[in-house]
Amino acid sequence: MTKVIAITGKGGTGKTAVAALLIRYLSKNDNFLLAVDADADTNLPETLGCEAVKTIGDAKEALQEEITKPKPDHPDMNKESILQSKIYEIIEEMSGYDLLVMGRPEGAGCYCYVNNLLRGIMDKLVVNYDVVVIDTEAGLEHFSRKIIRNVDNLIVVTDASRRGFRTAERIHELVDELESNISNIHVIANKVTDANRDKIEKLAGDLKLDLIGMVPLDPKVEELDIGGIPLSELPEDSAAVIEIEKIAKKLGF
Ligand SMILES: Nc1ncnc2c1ncn2[C@@H]1O[C@H](COP(=O)(O)OP(=O)(O)OP(=O)(O)O)[C@@H](O)[C@H]1O
Ligand SMILES: [Mg+2]
């Protein structure tokens, strides 16, 4: 059975860092792992230490062009097969995991048809993996797009700010409203310090959020980030790495 983990939360709280560290941990175990960058801003590849050039956006664009041409190049070809082969072409094989990048949102025109094809393709692709980790963009819009339909564990990353927690609450409400196929919602507090640890625990308790872990503010994470060095270079004994490992174990890995 595939386990799908999606990471969401307010902007700048550390979604991509958490995703990258989770991917780092899971890629060292015997998991057949797919990492998905679902942020149009595409930060995950760099944080993981790879440069993915082709995106699902490119593949969709190419198919959309083909569909809207007065004289398509391959009029007899099944559109789903064309898109599927394009998607399989852009999957980057990294050490210990595969990487798929969504890329920019679609251009003008109606992409409903292409998006429907894509959903079907993603359904088939996802089941090939033991675990899928999706880094999403800030905001809640992507929930309605639902390119990957079933999520086992939605992780909301927050910092110590009330706004971060407010976003976590709103995501909870939205998930209920949308009746989406999300089985479990957890919260990770990130950039935690000794000064705010107790307050965070209390706030999460008051809001009845499932606080699955508290990742310390780790100066080494900031140091690597500013130097453009991937988080794979973080030492094993760094505070963030250790906490993410604990969280992964709580998630059943
Ligand atoms: N535990 C941590 N300790 C120290 N710095 C951190 C930690 N987690 C993340 N950061 C830093 O915080 C900044 C934002 O992190 P990141 O890009 O992962 O956030 P994000 O939520 O993905 O942002 P966006 O909403 O733009 O996608 C980065 O500079 C990153 O290095
Ligand atoms: Mg990000």
Side-chain angles (χ1 to χ4, degrees):
M1 280 288 281
T2 310
K3 194 161 185 166
V4 178
I5 303 171
I7 298 171
T8 183
K10 188 173 83 68
T13 49
K15 297 177 292 297
T16 302
V18 165
L21 290 174
L22 205 52
I23 290 159
R24 167 190 158 134
Y25 175 75
L26 295 173
S27 68
K28 287 180 183 169
N29 295 7
D30 277 337
N31 296 298
F32 195 36
L33 169 65
L34 176 67
V36 180
D37 188 345
D39 184 351
D41 210 20
T42 313
N43 291 313
L44 187 64
E46 194 188 337
T47 312
L48 290 168
C50 62
E51 277 181 36
V53 274
K54 286 269 178 68
T55 70
I56 291 183
D58 297 329
K60 277 165 54 176
E61 210 75 55
L63 182 67
Q64 180 77 354
E65 254 175 46
E66 165 79 7
I67 292 169
T68 45
K69 267 184 193 165
K71 282 190 183 164
D73 298 337
H74 313 284
D76 305 327
M77 262 182 91
N78 173 325
K79 302 290 178 285
E80 185 171 7
S81 324
I82 299 176
L83 186 60
Q84 182 165 328
S85 66
K86 286 183 194 297
I87 300 290
Y88 278 77
E89 267 168 37
I90 59 168
I91 294 177
E92 292 273 330
E93 282 179 37
M94 305 299 295
S95 153
Y97 62 94
D98 284 354
L99 175 67
L100 191 55
V101 177
M102 300 288 289
R104 65 184 187 282
E106 49 253 19
C110 178
Y111 279 74
C112 298
Y113 174 70
V114 176
N115 281 338
N116 279 335
L117 290 182
L118 179 61
R119 278 188 201 100
I121 293 166
M122 290 304 286
D123 283 346
K124 281 189 243 160
L125 176 71
V126 158
V127 294
N128 293 328
Y129 293 89
D130 298 321
V131 50
V132 179
V133 176
I134 311 164
D135 178 28
T136 71
E137 59 201 8
L140 310 171
E141 299 79 20
H142 61 271
F143 281 112
S144 51
R145 279 196 249 133
K146 282 197 201 153
I147 293 300
I148 293 181
R149 285 183 259 225
N150 298 316
V151 172
D152 298 285
N153 300 94
L154 181 71
I155 295 179
V156 188
V157 180
T158 179
D159 50 20
S161 71
R162 191 159 278 274
R163 277 188 300 131
F165 274 92
R166 183 70 198 113
T167 301
E169 260 192 310
R170 272 207 299 270
I171 288 170
H172 257 273
E173 290 159 10
L174 194 77
V175 165
D176 292 342
E177 272 169 34
L178 289 175
E179 294 174 1
S180 52
N181 292 336
I182 294 173
S183 311
N184 304 288
I185 307 180
H186 320 274
V187 171
I188 292 181
N190 189 26
K191 309 186 196 183
V192 175
T193 63
D194 287 341
N196 62 26
R197 182 171 291 271
D198 291 347
K199 286 183 202 130
I200 287 172
E201 265 187 317
K202 179 163 186 320
L203 189 54
D206 290 349
L207 298 174
K208 298 194 169 48
L209 299 171
D210 174 30
L211 186 64
I212 194 170
M214 296 206 267
V215 181
L217 181 78
D218 189 334
K220 288 193 192 113
V221 172
E222 288 173 324
E223 203 182 299
L224 293 184
D225 184 272
I226 204 100
I229 302 163
L231 290 185
S232 48
E233 299 298 315
L234 214 55
E236 282 291 332
D237 63 352
S238 97
V241 170
I242 292 170
E243 181 64 13
I244 291 289
E245 191 175 321
K246 281 191 203 154
I247 292 168
K249 285 183 178 151
K250 282 191 196 164
L251 291 171
F253 295 99

